[in-house]
Amino acid sequence: MRPVEEHAAAVAALIRATGTETVALARARGRVLAADLASPVSLPPFDNSAMDGYAVRAADLASTPVTLPVPEDVPAGRVDGPPLAPGTAHRIMTGAALPDGADAVVQVEWTDGGLPGDAVRVDRHVEAGQSVRRAGDDVVAGQVVLTAGTVLGPAQIGLAAAVGAPELTVHRRPRVLVLSTGSELVAPGQPLRHGQIHESNGPMLAAAVEDAGGEARLLRFVPDDVDEFLTTLEAALAEPTDLVVTSGGVSAGAYEVVKDAFATRGITFTKVAMQPGMPQGAGRYADRVAVVTLPGNPVSSLVSFEVFVRPALRRAAGHPHPDRARVWARVAEDLRSPDGRRQFRRGRLDLDGTVTPVGGAGSHLLAALAHADCLFVVPAEVTEVAAGSEVEVWLLDG
Ligand code: AMP
Ligand code: MG
């Protein structure tokens, strides 16, 4: 059997790095920056007031209380910059440009609140620089504020806007076609006859693709018919595609449509030393497009996606952390695992560092998977795990 790492490397090698594109800030969340962003401006761009109060010269407040005339009002956004004459105070609001001649701001709470055109009594002395936010405190013009490879979240998008960038250059999302197979499949919303099940892998894997930063195109599932499978695939490949992910039809049965269609068309089928998810395939279909064939059992399908496809997609899209966050935790129960296969169990992780298995090892137990917040790993050579042993946990959230 092929080691997990070997198949992971084969899948990663198939999926090429995506190019770059420019997106508006409103569409940038979760994307990976592809080029350094330098700021053309300083932040703040000008010295400004950190308080609502009065712009003054600190020297004029040598002895307090002192009363000063208030010739001007300087709200935020005033652009004509009235200078401050000695022995006067301008009323000023937070974020307004500090007038030339002023070196400090006295907050309104330390005054009698005198109005513009009148005078203000200042009760407390301030040092030069008090309540002034200096130009360039945060960012100096020319500085690189975000480096290539940064994942764009709210703070990064806010910073890009603050430095005046309306759009950003990001890695293009990999375009992934998802195609499920099985003559037993019926679309959700349709009634089931005896022997039929609802198609769940397609919506699940399309969601997993989007979650991994890809752009999923979910095709309507096809029955176990090689011609129909290939016709559907060919039609879909008229649109640009970076990866095709199929599910089902790859194990040892009689109607293995994916295997039958792909075995002579560039895809290699292997048994990978893992549970669930032993039957796997990967290759380049007709020398044209990367293909990963996932097993049909829903748990096998999603676990295989986690192990092989997700990291490869994220790496191709320039993501700095392709893998799930991993921690070590003590397992709550005794477990058994098959010899020679790395087992990926579903679990729930408590804050105290205990991981509790949910559901058994069965690869059809989708409800248990839906209640899990992590996978944890039993190494291939380990057949028994005693409660309290440490296991590696992959966090599925975030
Ligand atoms: P297969 O790999 O095609 O032999 O499928 C293995 C198991 O997974 C069978 O029980 C299938 O009915 C089930 N299965 C395959 N594809 C899907 C799907 N798209 N949605 C739900 N279950 C599926
Ligand atoms: Mg099938």
Side-chain angles (χ1 to χ4, degrees):
M1 275 190 282
R2 190 179 213 184
V4 171
E5 271 73 26
E6 200 177 308
H7 191 65
V11 170
L14 272 180
I15 306 175
R16 299 190 174 123
T18 59
T20 63
E21 63 185 357
T22 299
V23 294
L25 291 189
R27 309 208 38 91
R29 187 183 61 84
R31 305 296 294 273
V32 181
L33 195 64
D36 288 355
L37 178 69
S39 175
V41 294
S42 292
L43 293 184
F46 48 86
D47 292 352
N48 69 96
S49 179
M51 290 284 184
D52 296 330
Y54 298 84
V56 296
R57 292 167 193 258
D60 290 338
L61 310 183
S63 75
T64 51
V66 61
T67 297
L68 302 170
V70 182
E72 293 283 348
D73 197 16
V74 190
R78 183 166 174 180
V79 294
D80 64 345
L84 184 81
T88 69
H90 289 345
R91 191 168 78 161
I92 193 166
M93 300 299 147
T94 304
L98 192 73
D100 282 348
D103 60 12
V105 171
V106 193
Q107 64 191 78
V108 66
E109 292 84 354
W110 298 352
T111 72
D112 67 353
L115 295 176
D118 195 358
V120 62
R121 192 193 71 236
V122 178
D123 298 326
R124 287 213 216 169
H125 177 69
V126 294
E127 301 294 331
Q130 174 94 27
S131 298
V132 175
R133 304 191 288 212
R134 289 289 171 208
D137 255 2
D138 195 8
V139 170
V140 176
Q143 184 183 328
V144 169
V145 289
L146 294 171
T147 53
T150 299
V151 180
L152 299 168
Q156 293 73 30
I157 289 170
L159 177 57
V163 304
E167 54 193 25
L168 292 169
T169 304
V170 298
H171 291 274
R172 186 172 55 69
R173 300 164 72 198
R175 294 168 291 221
V176 183
L177 214 141
V178 177
L179 178 55
S180 298
T181 64
S183 295
E184 73 278 33
L185 302 178
V186 170
Q190 301 300 311
L192 297 177
R193 297 173 62 191
H194 188 66
Q196 297 181 321
I197 59 170
H198 287 125
E199 205 279 275
S200 58
N201 288 350
M204 175 179 76
L205 293 170
V209 165
E210 298 271 332
D211 206 41
E215 207 177 282
R217 193 147 55 94
L218 175 58
L219 301 183
R220 188 181 164 83
F221 53 90
V222 292
D224 294 315
D225 179 290
V226 169
D227 287 343
E228 201 167 334
F229 175 79
L230 287 174
T231 308
T232 302
L233 181 66
E234 281 296 337
L237 288 177
E239 284 184 44
T241 305
D242 297 302
L243 173 69
V244 175
V245 172
T246 66
S247 76
V250 294
S251 44
Y255 304 99
E256 304 295 2
V257 59
V258 174
K259 226 182 203 176
D260 294 345
F262 278 160
T264 56
R265 292 181 171 87
I267 313 307
T268 306
F269 293 92
T270 35
K271 286 186 174 170
V272 176
M274 65 190 281
Q275 185 196 57
M278 188 172 63
Q280 300 285 342
R284 196 166 294 283
Y285 168 66
D287 277 336
R288 277 157 63 200
V289 62
V291 171
V292 175
T293 69
L294 302 178
N297 271 307
V299 177
S300 311
S301 228
L302 192 56
V303 168
S304 305
F305 184 95
E306 280 291 332
V307 175
F308 302 119
V309 183
R310 181 184 158 98
L313 280 181
R314 281 160 66 92
R315 191 168 285 113
H319 206 288
H321 308 292
D323 292 326
R324 292 287 192 185
R326 296 174 189 184
V327 297
W328 288 81
R330 287 177 308 279
V331 69
E333 300 166 10
D334 293 340
L335 295 173
R336 303 183 71 81
S337 177
D339 190 21
R341 292 168 70 184
R342 185 181 304 175
Q343 198 181 44
F344 291 91
R345 295 289 293 255
R346 281 64 66 198
R348 288 190 71 84
L349 182 65
D350 290 332
L351 288 176
D352 70 356
T354 305
V355 62
T356 305
V358 290
S363 53
H364 59 297
L365 302 172
L366 187 54
L369 178 56
H371 288 106
D373 59 14
C374 62
L375 299 176
F376 63 94
V377 183
V378 182
E381 68 283 3
V382 174
T383 54
E384 285 181 31
V385 180
S389 311
E390 294 248 305
V391 290
E392 188 187 71
V393 175
W394 296 14
L395 306 180
L396 295 179
D397 290 335

